[in-house]
Amino acid sequence: MSKFIVFEGIDGSGKTTQIKLLHKALAERNIPVHITKEPTDDPMGKQLRKYLGGEEKTDLRAIAALFAADRLHHITTENGILDNLARGNVVLCDRYYLSSYAYQSVDCDLDWIMALNREAANIARPDLHIFLDVPAEQSMSRVSSRGETEIFEKLDRQQQIRKNFFDLFDKLKNKENILIVDGTREPEIIAEEIFNKVKEVL
Ligand code: ADP
Ligand code: TYD
């Protein structure tokens, strides 16, 4: 029963909304779910949020390495990804290594980013990645109402990141199970499509 399902997309693509809706659909069928996210709320994830918020600064390669370290901690820590899969939970994770590939490769070499994440992919490869596709103009207008902006939340950067995701899907099509979903529709319609695919995976 335990499956590892990851939600991906540019900022404001609707991941949080869809994770909640999928959680509801699974809980109604008494399927045990564990919800988690990256960056984590543990020390490395907290430090990443300081860099992302611009409160502290460091080299972008150091940020890439810290994302990979936060991820390995997330996988292996007590009550982390592996623990929850071992308990038979369906793990729903907001972002994982495809985010590192798409976001950090704007500034760093993609092969190096993939090498940094190779252990994560070997130890805990998702059963399904769900990519919520929304044009950058639309997702930026959704997040602008949040008030605070993070260092990657700029229109041209989000456009580049969305393109990076699509280049990756092509490159990884034989390695990763990826569902691309049109995220511009009503949340309930999107949730129905996602649930139908998740039923196949479970
Ligand atoms: P993410 O977790 O990817 O940043 P959220 O789920 O927090 O995205 O959504 C960002 C914003 O967009 C929120 O204000 C949310 O209510 C809104 N939103 C989410 N899904 C949709 C959708 N399908 N259509 C319109 N607005 C949406
Ligand atoms: P998140 O809080 O999920 O942002 P949002 O809700 O706006 O989608 O993620 C924080 C930021 O961190 C977001 O801009 C994406 C970025 N990020 C990376 O650059 N690399 C990564 O590996 C991860 C997990 C996130």
Side-chain angles (χ1 to χ4, degrees), residues 5-70:
I5 300 172
V6 170
F7 284 75
E8 292 284 2
I10 58 175
D11 294 57
S13 52
K15 299 181 304 308
T16 309
T17 305
Q18 291 304 320
I19 287 173
K20 279 191 196 145
L21 290 170
L22 180 57
H23 180 202
K24 187 165 171 274
L26 294 172
E28 278 168 8
R29 289 157 182 85
N30 296 317
I31 297 172
V33 174
H34 173 75
I35 294 179
T36 187
K37 66 172 185 212
E38 294 188 359
T40 66
D41 288 328
D42 287 341
M44 285 183 270
K46 284 197 175 123
Q47 185 58 42
L48 277 164
R49 287 190 191 278
K50 287 185 188 165
Y51 295 136
L52 295 170
E55 191 186 321
E56 290 183 22
K57 287 193 168 49
T58 191
D59 186 89
L60 290 164
R61 289 162 296 191
I63 291 181
L66 193 52
F67 270 119
D70 184 44

Side-chain angles (χ1 to χ4, degrees), residues 145-156:
S145 56
R146 283 184 197 166
E148 52 195 57
T149 49
E150 295 186 333
I151 56 171
F152 300 145
E153 289 181 351
K154 307 270 183 304
L155 180 62
D156 54 346

Side-chain angles (χ1 to χ4, degrees), residues 9 29 35 39 46 51 56 58 66 77 80 85 87 90 103 105 129 138 153 167 186 197-198:
R29 289 157 182 85
I35 294 179
K46 284 197 175 123
Y51 295 136
E56 290 183 22
T58 191
L66 193 52
T77 192
L85 291 171
R87 281 183 211 136
V90 173
Y103 280 75
S105 69
H129 306 261
Q138 199 168 328
E153 289 181 351
D167 291 346
E186 285 300 310
K197 178 70 180 184
V198 167

